[in-house]
Amino acid sequence: MPDHPPAATAARRRASHTAFARARGLIPGGVNSPARAFGGVGGEPIFFREAQGQWLTDIDGNRYLDYIGSWGPMILGHRHPRVVAAIEAALARGTSYGAPTEAESRLAELIIAAVPSIEKVRMTSSGTEAAMSAVRLARGVTGRDKIVKFAGNYHGHGDSLLVAAGSSAATLGVPDSPGVTAGTARDTLVLEYNDPQELEDCFGREGDEIAAVLLEPVVGNMGLVRPEPEFLAAARRLTRSHGALLVFDEVMSGFRLALGGAQEILGVVPDLTILGKIVGGGLPLAAYGGRADVMDHVLPAGKVFQAGTLAGNPLAVAAGTATLEELAERPPYGQLERHGAALEAGFRAAAAAAGLPVWVARVGSMLTMFFQPGPEPVPVRGWKTASRSDKARYAAFFWAMIDRGVYLPCSQYEALFLSAALTDADIAATITAAHESLAG
Ligand code: KE4
């Protein structure tokens, strides 16, 4: 891993360097979320001042084409006029009431209309809260303790989800962070994604103790990994036959891969769905929802506790509602598919021209180019193959693209996100930058 980016342009980011030094004395690691710390690519994080459409501007005045979009929410691009107007209109009436509003029902109606699995929905302030609550609900409804998750899938930082694959054959989880207890981790089983046989064996051993299987139906958190049909079919079949719930974490894929998310394009309907990012339009709002008979177990309709001071916050609801209405009225998915396909082909061609072994994976507007040790490219099907990526080579690519004004995910194990604000010229410029970056 390079211990610093190319010196060539570090001089162009002096204000970020100064801001980072200040922030580190105030905030752990100088950031409010580790994903922003550039740990996966070396060097120092870039501090930003503003964004508009497809563009980010850092505090040194450098502009970048944005392929992160706040890690997914900004599918329409930054400061979409309809979203800005909706937030301003809500702001004119207040910021938070701690009481119900009709606007929350309107957003709930949009979510229910769009997402095949959702008959009732509860809003939270983050995807982590939504995932934690969905797990608690599954345990409350089934009366069972164990949950199954998959290596390389991320569901926020709830204790029972910060669990790594254990070494034992029984796939018992082990804490993936200090502060997570062994007792908590013990109830989380961690398996390999796209391995239906391992899932079948797990249910054969302990199926009657499993409350839920939780997965990203299209994975973004180990880089982009597509689900294999037999894997999803096994998850649906086994949960149904063993009385467990199938939970899709669509915080990234929801409203991005289609208005109905991954479940719409994959044709597999889970029992619960976790949503975030786009549903809040760039403000703090997430949600979990599913069959009414399951959701009616949530307090105060039922007994499973979940609450939140700012859940369904009026400003966040306004941003989310405007975003979903815009996506429903003027679906950008055809353009996102066209641009995603062009970028995939362009990245593949740039790597081939440079003689680099890469695996490029894409679904719609989510894409990852995995740099590999080679000599031949290897399909990335799960964490076992993703984790063999050449992270140092990815880091070099990341910084070379930064130098050319393109802001990619600061980790090999993240997907990039296209927004509807990108133009054909932006995509062409990005591909040119990739050729130059990989040839260098
Ligand atoms: P939040 O608590 O960050 O809103 O959502 C957690 C979460 C849940 N499920 C999935 C599939 C997610 O991708 C996330 C959050 N994604 C990360 C990026 N890999 C957010 C970036 C960050 O943590 O700063």
Side-chain angles (χ1 to χ4, degrees):
M1 186 74 64
D3 57 5
H4 60 77
T9 61
R12 292 211 308 256
R13 289 189 296 276
R14 287 196 196 289
S16 273
H17 174 72
T18 304
F20 187 47
R22 176 186 173 210
R24 275 184 306 195
L26 304 165
I27 303 167
V31 291
N32 280 307
S33 187
R36 310 170 191 167
F38 279 29
V41 292
E44 298 183 343
I46 298 171
F47 281 60
F48 289 94
R49 180 177 66 215
E50 61 187 309
Q52 178 64 47
Q54 69 273 47
W55 295 101
L56 286 170
T57 303
D58 72 18
I59 60 174
D60 288 281
N62 304 301
R63 291 208 322 159
Y64 308 84
L65 282 174
D66 182 10
Y67 283 96
I68 280 289
S70 180
W71 298 99
M74 312 316 291
I75 190 170
L76 298 176
H78 294 280
R79 299 190 72 256
H80 187 284
R82 182 171 187 168
V83 177
V84 171
I87 296 169
E88 286 173 342
L91 178 60
R93 299 191 298 272
T95 56
S96 179
Y97 312 124
T101 65
E102 292 178 288
E104 292 157 78
S105 299
R106 168 63 181 153
L107 179 55
E109 286 168 346
L110 287 167
I111 294 167
I112 291 164
V115 184
S117 59
I118 297 184
E119 296 173 344
K120 281 195 171 179
V121 63
R122 168 63 67 84
M123 294 167 203
T124 65
S125 297
S126 71
T128 292
E129 276 185 272
M132 282 166 52
S133 307
V135 165
R136 184 181 308 127
L137 176 58
R139 286 170 162 160
V141 167
T142 61
R144 300 175 180 179
D145 294 347
K146 291 186 177 174
I147 54 166
V148 173
K149 73 176 290 289
F150 298 90
N153 284 214
Y154 175 67
H155 307 291
H157 59 87
D159 276 9
S160 56
L161 298 169
L162 283 184
V163 175
S167 53
S168 76
T171 67
L172 286 184
V174 295
D176 205 15
S177 164
V180 174
T181 66
T184 301
R186 193 172 303 123
D187 286 332
T188 302
L189 309 176
V190 185
L191 307 184
E192 181 70 6
Y193 197 81
N194 278 328
D195 186 339
Q197 190 55 56
E198 189 185 31
L199 185 59
E200 185 106 33
D201 295 346
C202 178
F203 267 93
R205 280 196 309 274
E206 41 206 318
D208 57 1
E209 298 174 63
I210 295 173
V213 170
L214 178 58
L215 58 88
E216 293 181 60
V218 170
V219 186
N221 283 290
M222 57 176 131
L224 194 284
V225 173
R226 303 173 66 98
E228 292 162 6
E230 56 277 12
F231 170 64
L232 285 185
R236 182 62 285 180
R237 170 172 51 81
L238 289 163
T239 46
R240 188 165 281 140
S241 63
H242 286 267
L245 297 185
L246 178 59
V247 184
F248 277 8
D249 183 340
E250 296 225 39
V251 166
M252 271 190 181
S253 54
F255 309 108
R256 172 164 286 281
L257 301 182
L259 193 61
Q263 58 194 264
E264 176 185 312
I265 60 173
L266 296 170
V268 177
V269 180
D271 301 300
L272 286 176
T273 297
I274 304 160
L275 299 167
K277 297 182 191 282
I278 291 171
V279 75
L283 268 65
L285 188 141
Y288 63 106
R291 294 182 359 224
D293 66 299
V294 174
M295 290 303 293
D296 279 342
H297 284 265
V298 179
L299 201 74
K303 294 186 168 51
V304 177
F305 190 85
Q306 181 258 312
T309 302
L310 297 175
N313 170 270
L315 302 189
V317 165
T321 301
T323 300
L324 296 198
E325 286 175 341
E326 182 64 21
L327 289 171
E329 292 165 23
R330 274 171 289 282
Y333 303 106
Q335 175 189 309
L336 291 171
E337 175 56 31
R338 188 166 52 79
H339 281 168
L343 200 60
E344 175 187 358
F347 277 11
R348 198 166 272 135
L356 293 172
V358 298
W359 176 260
V360 182
R362 178 182 70 87
V363 179
S365 60
M366 293 173 65
L367 182 153
T368 299
M369 174 154 65
F370 292 93
F371 289 82
Q372 299 188 323
E376 294 306 316
V378 170
V380 175
R381 302 179 55 242
W383 183 243
K384 282 178 184 162
T385 38
S387 57
R388 294 194 198 117
S389 297
D390 184 340
K391 293 186 289 296
R393 196 178 282 278
Y394 180 83
F397 176 59
F398 170 82
W399 282 110
M401 293 292 270
I402 286 284
D403 288 349
R404 291 167 175 80
V406 179
Y407 194 72
L408 298 177
C410 49
S411 167
Q412 172 71 92
Y413 302 129
E414 294 283 359
L416 69 76
F417 300 100
L418 285 87
S419 79
L422 288 161
T423 66
D424 292 357
D426 295 328
I427 299 298
T430 303
I431 293 169
T432 299
H435 276 277
E436 292 170 0
S437 298
L438 295 180

